[in-house]
Amino acid sequence: MAAGPGELTLAPGPACPRGDWTLAHHARLRRRVDEAHRVRAEAPVDLAEIGALDTAGAALLAELTGAERLAGIDDWAPALPAERRALLRAVGEALTRCEAPARPRRHPLRGPLADIGRRVAGIVHQQARLLGFIGQVLATLTATLFRPRRWRLTSVVAQVHQTGLDALPIVALLTFLVGAVVAFLGATVLSDFGATLYTVHLVAYAFLREFGVILAAILLAGRTASAFTAQLGAMKANEELDALRTLGLDPVELLVLPRVVALTISLPILTFVGMLSGILGGALVCLVALDISAVQFLAILERDIAVQHFLVGLGKAPLFAFVVAVIGCLEGFKVSGSAQSVGQHTTSSVVQSIFMVILLDAVAALFCMEMGW
């Protein structure tokens, strides 16, 4: 029997393993077996020149010749010593009996339910971070509120100009068109009952309580929250936030508070403009299509529409503005540093802001209904 590192020769002639087929040479023999094709069942294999042999080498021989063929080694290699034939036969029989474990059957609902669970867990984690960030913003606001020297009025005025004044035209145009549409729909339905005059009430209630504030808030969610996220995300990607912390400055106080305060100032103004524009759009439709004059329209508003509806709508604006601004800033701080991350969190800030605005509006509507406001 040959001694030395194991080797494998396939051609010419029979396959001829030689040398020591042991664990010490397993890595090199593994590569040789992988390079070789499995020996056909009828092809001769000469095992006489194998030196030392252990179960690791026997397993490689079983892979080379086939486990079933190795289990019947007494039939085609009777000249080998009985101890070696017993080892090879035992390894071959063990590998023949060894079957791949059956893969457990997965329930068809397991995947969708797991995905739903992951999404719910992500939403819970996201809302927990949002509540924590709101607390941090309120704490910073409280700490700077009674220290006028730390107020950043220039930043607040600049943000009011960007988030408020620049958004006035689009808010006014959108609410004007929606007011006209609401008046058309109301006139279409109420005309069947001979109550077209109540189109004035419909337009006034809709815009004073709901549409004025919610349309302005949704526009700011798409226009301003995304801008906040992109600005802060770019600053984080460029490591500007880390530079501010290195200088001993608080990014929340320096960057978040001016945006939150500015949006809290801007949204009530935009809401007021949206209410006026929506009612003006409805008044124009009433004048043109329903023969309700402007004087009559204003008289109905003064007589039948209480000021509390205006206050309810305007009172929701600061809350919506605070939530939109906080979500936009928080998503900016979540950016990981790549351009793809900036885009993903910008989209997320818009979606979250619009969702929270609608959710809070629904809760406020239920609360006002229960309170009789």
Side-chain angles (χ1 to χ4, degrees):
M1 297 182 182
E7 237 338 308
L8 175 62
T9 303
L10 291 177
C16 185
R18 65 184 64 190
D20 294 341
W21 283 60
T22 58
L23 183 62
H25 309 292
H26 185 275
R28 188 163 60 86
L29 290 171
R30 169 82 269 173
R31 290 192 296 270
R32 292 291 292 124
V33 171
D34 290 340
E35 293 171 0
H37 297 289
R38 174 176 288 192
V39 178
R40 298 190 307 273
E42 65 275 8
V45 179
D46 186 4
L47 304 179
E49 297 189 26
I50 293 179
L53 180 68
D54 59 12
T55 54
L60 290 176
L61 290 175
E63 186 174 342
L64 179 67
T65 63
E68 294 181 357
R69 184 177 182 187
L70 196 65
I73 193 169
D74 293 334
D75 299 331
W76 55 273
L80 290 178
E83 297 84 358
R84 179 150 297 179
R85 283 187 285 113
L87 173 62
L88 293 173
R89 182 173 62 252
V91 171
E93 291 175 351
L95 293 177
T96 302
R97 292 192 303 267
C98 182
E99 298 180 356
R103 297 182 61 182
R105 294 183 59 186
R106 298 184 61 182
H107 196 279
L109 294 179
R110 182 177 178 181
L113 290 177
D115 184 62
I116 293 173
R118 284 190 295 268
R119 291 179 182 274
V120 171
I123 292 173
V124 171
H125 178 68
Q126 179 177 294
Q127 296 306 311
R129 291 191 62 178
L130 177 60
L131 291 176
F133 189 69
I134 289 175
Q136 184 179 0
V137 171
L138 291 177
T140 306
L141 180 62
T142 304
T144 59
L145 188 60
F146 301 103
R147 300 179 183 179
R149 295 182 60 184
R150 296 175 62 178
W151 295 356
R152 303 187 179 275
L153 296 179
T154 303
S155 299
V156 172
V157 172
Q159 292 295 332
V160 168
H161 183 274
Q162 294 177 6
T163 61
L165 295 180
D166 291 348
L168 274 177
I170 184 64
V171 171
L173 177 61
L174 179 65
T175 51
F176 177 84
L177 296 176
V178 173
V181 171
V182 170
F184 271 122
L185 291 176
T188 301
V189 175
L190 295 174
S191 62
D192 295 337
F193 305 95
T196 54
L197 192 64
Y198 288 97
T199 304
V200 180
H201 301 74
L202 174 63
V203 172
Y205 283 129
F207 278 89
L208 290 178
R209 295 184 67 96
E210 300 294 339
F211 284 171
V213 61
I214 199 169
L215 289 176
I218 288 175
L219 278 175
L220 284 190
R223 181 182 183 274
T224 306
S226 60
F228 288 173
T229 302
Q231 292 166 4
L232 297 180
M235 294 180 69
K236 185 173 182 182
N238 295 331
E239 299 183 354
E240 296 177 35
L241 299 182
D242 296 332
L244 290 176
R245 294 188 180 96
T246 303
L247 294 173
L249 299 174
D250 184 8
V252 175
E253 179 181 345
L254 187 67
L255 301 173
V256 177
L257 282 188
R259 287 171 167 80
V260 172
V261 173
L263 204 59
T264 306
I265 296 172
S266 299
L267 187 54
I269 298 173
L270 293 176
T271 299
F272 180 72
V273 172
M275 291 175 179
L276 294 182
S277 299
I279 293 175
L280 181 60
L284 182 62
V285 171
C286 290
L287 178 64
V288 173
L290 304 179
D291 294 329
I292 299 176
S293 65
V295 175
Q296 187 180 6
F297 190 95
L298 292 175
I300 294 173
L301 287 180
E302 182 181 0
R303 184 190 65 201
D304 297 337
I305 308 302
V307 71
Q308 73 178 28
H309 304 299
F310 169 75
L311 296 177
V312 166
L314 200 63
K316 293 186 285 187
L319 176 61
F320 292 173
F322 180 81
V323 171
V324 169
V326 167
I327 289 176
C329 295
L330 175 59
E331 290 299 315
F333 284 151
K334 287 182 181 179
V335 172
S336 61
S338 63
Q340 182 181 4
S341 179
V342 173
Q344 290 175 346
H345 286 285
T346 300
T347 303
S348 177
S349 70
V350 174
V351 174
Q352 288 185 59
S353 300
I354 294 176
F355 174 79
M356 290 301 296
V357 164
I358 296 175
L359 177 63
L360 291 175
D361 185 71
V363 173
L366 293 175
F367 176 78
C368 292
M369 182 180 66
E370 292 295 329
M371 296 297 294
W373 292 350

